[in-house]
Amino acid sequence: MFSLNGSSFLNNSLSGVSKSLTQSTQRKISAPPVVVASVSSNGKPGDRNVSVLMENTLKEMRETATSSSSSAAVEQESKSTVGGGVEDVYGEDSATEHQYITPWTVTVASGYPLLRDPHYNKGLAFTEKERDAHFLRGLLPPVVISQDLQVKKMMHNMRQYQVPLQRYMAMMDLQERNERLFYKLLIDNVEELLPVVYTPTVGEACQKYGSIFRQPQGLFISLKEKGRILEVLKNWPEKKIQVIVVTDGERILGLGDLGCQGMGIPVGKLSLYSALGGIRPSACLPVTIDVGTNNEQLLNDEFYIGLRRRRATGQEYAELLHEFMSAVKQNYGEKVLIQFEDFANHNAFDLLAKYGSTHLVFNDDIQGTASVVLAGLMAALNLVGGTLSEHRFLFLGAGEAGTGIAELIALEMSKQTGVPVEEAREKIWLVDSKGLIVKSRVESLQHFKRPWAHEHEPVRTLLDAVKSIKPTVLIGSSGAGRTFTKEVVEAMASFNEKPVILALSNPTSQSECTAEEAYTWSEGRAIFASGSPFSPVEYNGKFYASGQANNAYIFPGFGLGLIISGAIRVHDDMLLAASEALAEQVSQENLDKGLIYPPFSNIRKISAQIAARVAAKAYELGLATRLPQPENLEAYAESCMYSPNYRHYR
């Protein structure tokens, strides 16, 4: 895992973020002047009048700016704007929810185009005054309803669908029609809708993405665009990008190579960045790098939307990725967060190591999974007792997730005990497809597995490894379903009063065991969590609620922390800080139910606390460029979070 020693960098303020929290309470920057669209005789905006309107409006804005005093200019420059730190050109986010703003596109949005603009559309929530001002009379039924009633109606409709993919498609349709209602719906019903917009349903959506594709939700960059990627990035309508989630589709969840259809993953991740972490949607960019696919079924599918060729490898692949990374930095600057998602092992580690020292990069499969699992283990210690270094860990799966989790556990052990990380690794054992990773296999191992090769006789099966190592914690990250068999779980329960069993593979069909299996086979003594959600289980008259080790606990708040601090590199200590912050949110009430993660219902508050801890670590390491540091980072993080509530239009 890439680790960067803390170092100091030149101050470089993040555009659109206040220099301190206290300044955010000062007088707000005034929004652009009121603009009323002129219309031609037939009631539609006239091209000539619109041009005059735009010219007059810009002239008035310049005159207003010129007439302001120098002190006011200084005051305006230091103002805080919410929305994750993107420059608030038109005053939309510097206004309170009760102040009026202008729905500005190329001109003032009005009439039919306004109803087709997902950023400004409010559907039946347009007020009578707004319907008159923006030529909406007759285009909507006469009733005016609140956003809360819209949410209630949408949830009623959503629950009518029996098939999860139908719910997913309904949510995507809403996002393309009414952006704020989509996020309001997701935030207010996060526990019910999270499995719809992300795992496990997003896996099926990716498998069928070619059939359900309607309109682009992100950028598709293929080998056809080689040499022109910077030009392609400029085609994206939003220019102030803060977070990019990119995949090449080679290892989508536990489903394998889905090629270009992996776009559902970046789209889903960035929806959670906005809903759970408060990053403004316009600052998020989903990207799929299409280098072909080795999936024969897709290559023969007439509805497949990607390149019909075998995957590019070697120099051809490396050159395309390098051009992409260079173009992103050139177009958006060095503080844009690039999150690698669902790359195959042989590329994921190399990309993280190659670009970790030159870009702000984060691999959620390696680092995000590790951070959320470490948080769960820290919370579980309150139930099983002891410290991390007093436990023995056995992993099934030695890929990105497995080795990433193992390394972060070792780093935390080293931090707590002061022993070298190499010594801490000796408490952690990994099993791959060929059996226990031991010293005698070291020459045939991939480089990222070699640190985990310990002295031990060869062991072929997981069951034999469990009986030999006698771990207190069993972690599955194999992507192979039902591999924690009855014999394995019973063996764990035979020498542990409370065996900790984490079945992390996604989607549900790939989980190493179900919650019911874990509780039943351990006679109700297991501390269980999974990657995908499971319903509560009844065993011997007692109900057990299992936790979900979902990366959505970590990456939205982690990304927000990087943004509000203006961080330019990711450091392992930031991941440890995020884990500690999440573990602290697990209450005694949660633990009494057997939960080692807090409920998602309070996720935005949790994300703000994680963001504050990550930002504080960035300042401590000298990796933050947003100076001076706000006095109250948690409150500052909350003030920068996107709100999906409707705004009032002039």
Side-chain angles (χ1 to χ4, degrees):
M1 182 181 295
F2 167 73
S3 179
L4 175 68
N5 292 328
S7 56
S8 298
F9 293 82
L10 294 176
N11 299 348
N12 186 10
S13 297
L14 177 65
S15 174
V17 179
S18 68
K19 297 179 187 274
S20 68
L21 176 65
T22 55
Q23 291 173 324
S24 68
T25 59
Q26 298 174 7
R27 181 175 58 84
K28 303 291 183 182
I29 304 175
S30 60
V34 175
V35 183
V36 179
S38 58
V39 295
S40 57
S41 58
N42 62 4
K44 297 181 180 179
D47 292 342
R48 176 179 175 278
N49 289 338
V50 166
S51 299
V52 173
L53 165 69
M54 292 178 66
E55 182 179 347
N56 291 340
T57 301
L58 292 172
K59 179 180 179 182
E60 184 178 352
M61 291 173 70
R62 286 193 294 267
E63 290 173 351
T64 301
T66 304
S67 65
S68 300
S69 66
S70 59
S71 61
V74 172
E75 182 183 4
Q76 287 189 5
E77 184 179 354
S78 67
K79 290 295 178 290
S80 169
T81 58
V82 297
V86 177
E87 184 178 357
D88 185 20
V89 179
Y90 298 114
E92 175 185 345
D93 290 306
S94 60
T96 69
E97 292 178 8
H98 301 292
Q99 289 179 306
Y100 289 93
I101 64 166
T102 300
W104 184 277
T105 52
V106 177
T107 62
V108 178
S110 63
Y112 196 75
L114 178 56
L115 298 178
R116 293 296 180 267
D117 188 332
H119 183 65
Y120 291 113
N121 180 30
K122 301 197 291 187
L124 294 178
F126 281 107
T127 65
E128 299 285 355
K129 182 179 179 181
E130 289 169 336
R131 296 180 188 207
D132 285 332
H134 294 283
F135 312 103
L136 298 176
R137 286 291 175 189
L139 300 181
L140 293 168
V143 69
V144 176
I145 65 176
S146 67
Q147 189 179 27
D148 288 337
L149 186 57
Q150 286 180 315
V151 167
K152 181 178 180 181
K153 182 180 75 171
M154 287 302 304
M155 283 307 301
H156 172 76
N157 293 342
M158 201 69 61
R159 289 166 182 150
Q160 306 306 307
Y161 294 114
Q162 301 300 314
V163 179
L165 186 61
Q166 291 177 330
R167 293 188 177 190
Y168 175 88
M169 294 174 65
M171 288 295 291
M172 294 303 102
D173 286 343
L174 178 61
Q175 187 177 23
E176 294 167 7
R177 186 174 71 251
N178 187 330
E179 183 178 88
R180 287 186 180 271
L181 183 57
F182 169 84
Y183 286 109
K184 177 72 170 174
L185 189 72
L186 182 54
I187 291 169
D188 290 355
N189 301 274
V190 63
E191 292 182 297
E192 184 173 350
L193 294 179
L194 186 60
V196 175
V197 299
Y198 203 60
T199 56
T201 309
V202 72
E204 183 183 359
C206 288
Q207 289 176 309
K208 301 175 180 177
Y209 202 80
S211 298
I212 66 175
F213 178 81
R214 283 178 169 80
Q215 64 182 45
Q217 295 174 291
L219 277 179
F220 294 88
I221 298 175
S222 73
L223 289 167
K224 290 182 177 181
E225 283 71 58
K226 188 176 181 181
R228 303 173 56 192
I229 293 180
L230 181 60
E231 176 187 336
V232 173
L233 291 179
K234 293 181 182 297
N235 288 342
W236 188 249
E238 303 292 347
K239 307 306 177 186
K240 299 291 185 178
I241 299 300
Q242 291 182 309
V243 183
I244 294 173
V245 175
V246 57
T247 186
D248 70 351
E250 189 169 4
R251 192 200 61 81
I252 298 298
L253 302 176
L255 303 172
D257 186 352
L258 297 183
C260 188
Q261 297 187 167
M263 177 59 92
I265 297 296
V267 170
K269 287 278 185 178
L270 287 169
S271 295
L272 300 185
Y273 259 115
S274 296
L276 312 186
I279 310 299
R280 193 198 296 182
S282 61
C284 299
L285 174 57
V287 175
T288 290
I289 304 289
D290 186 359
V291 295
T293 178
N294 294 334
N295 187 323
E296 293 292 344
Q297 184 177 350
L298 290 179
L299 290 174
N300 296 321
D301 183 356
E302 64 177 326
F303 297 127
Y304 181 56
I305 60 176
L307 291 178
R308 294 181 184 275
R309 55 157 287 173
R310 308 290 292 182
R311 277 192 170 272
T313 58
Q315 184 176 353
E316 185 180 18
Y317 179 90
E319 287 177 353
L320 187 72
L321 265 293
H322 187 70
E323 183 187 349
F324 169 73
M325 296 297 290
S326 301
V328 165
K329 195 169 184 178
Q330 181 178 346
N331 202 44
Y332 301 121
E334 65 177 353
K335 288 182 285 188
V336 62
L337 172 61
I338 304 170
Q339 178 171 311
F340 297 122
E341 196 68 37
D342 287 353
F343 284 76
N345 292 337
H346 56 272
N347 289 321
F349 289 99
D350 291 344
L351 289 172
L352 193 58
K354 181 176 181 178
Y355 294 106
S357 59
T358 59
H359 293 67
L360 184 66
V361 294
F362 171 70
N363 187 304
D364 193 43
D365 303 301
I366 299 173
Q367 297 165 298
T369 301
S371 187
V372 75
V373 172
L374 177 58
L377 294 174
M378 289 176 171
L381 294 178
N382 294 307
L383 294 171
V384 300
T387 63
L388 275 179
S389 60
E390 293 171 342
H391 287 267
R392 291 183 305 281
F393 302 84
L394 180 64
F395 286 77
L396 176 62
E400 297 170 55
T403 55
I405 298 165
E407 182 69 9
L408 203 63
I409 292 172
L411 287 170
E412 182 65 19
M413 283 186 190
S414 176
K415 176 183 174 182
Q416 291 180 3
T417 62
V419 303
V421 68
E422 292 79 12
E423 184 177 332
R425 290 185 184 130
E426 295 176 2
K427 299 275 189 177
I428 304 170
W429 298 80
L430 279 69
V431 173
D432 65 6
S433 60
K434 294 182 174 61
L436 191 67
I437 294 179
V438 294
K439 281 285 188 184
S440 60
R441 295 179 51 197
V442 70
E443 294 301 322
S444 63
L445 294 174
Q446 294 166 286
H447 66 89
F448 54 85
K449 295 182 181 181
R450 290 176 182 172
W452 311 103
H454 306 318
E455 289 291 350
H456 197 283
E457 66 274 10
V459 176
R460 187 68 184 89
T461 68
L462 174 64
L463 179 59
D464 289 339
V466 168
K467 291 178 178 178
S468 177
I469 303 299
K470 289 183 169 54
T472 56
V473 179
L474 179 62
I475 300 175
S477 59
S478 62
R482 305 303 180 265
T483 44
F484 288 176
T485 63
K486 181 179 181 181
E487 292 77 17
V488 167
V489 174
E490 287 179 343
M492 284 290 295
S494 68
F495 47 77
N496 290 298
E497 177 61 29
K498 292 183 177 181
V500 178
I501 300 175
L502 307 182
L504 303 177
S505 295
N506 290 313
T508 310
S509 60
Q510 305 304 114
S511 184
E512 285 76 11
C513 70
T514 66
E516 183 177 9
E517 290 167 345
Y519 291 123
T520 301
W521 295 338
S522 67
E523 298 177 337
R525 292 186 282 119
I527 307 300
F528 178 79
S530 56
S532 291
F534 285 102
S535 301
V537 174
E538 182 182 5
Y539 177 76
N540 281 353
K542 182 178 178 181
F543 281 91
Y544 297 85
S546 61
Q548 185 186 359
N550 194 317
N551 291 19
Y553 278 115
I554 290 290
F555 71 81
F558 189 84
L560 179 61
L562 296 174
I563 289 171
I564 65 174
S565 63
I568 56 173
R569 300 291 180 269
V570 171
H571 192 288
D572 289 333
D573 284 354
M574 297 176 182
L575 299 170
L576 297 178
S579 297
E580 292 164 3
L582 177 57
E584 290 171 6
Q585 301 308 307
V586 183
S587 66
Q588 187 59 50
E589 181 183 356
N590 300 146
L591 293 170
D592 291 342
K593 297 177 181 177
L595 294 172
I596 56 176
Y597 291 100
F600 263 107
S601 56
N602 200 30
I603 185 60
R604 277 171 72 98
K605 183 72 174 178
I606 294 170
S607 293
Q609 292 168 334
I610 291 173
R613 295 285 278 275
V614 170
K617 186 60 66 173
Y619 283 108
E620 179 185 327
L621 296 171
L623 295 173
T625 63
R626 175 59 206 160
L627 300 173
Q629 177 179 340
E631 294 179 8
N632 186 331
L633 281 169
E634 184 180 336
Y636 182 63
E638 290 180 350
S639 75
C640 290
M641 295 177 85
Y642 165 79
S643 168
N645 294 333
Y646 287 147
R647 315 306 292 273
H648 301 292
Y649 299 158
R650 295 184 178 87

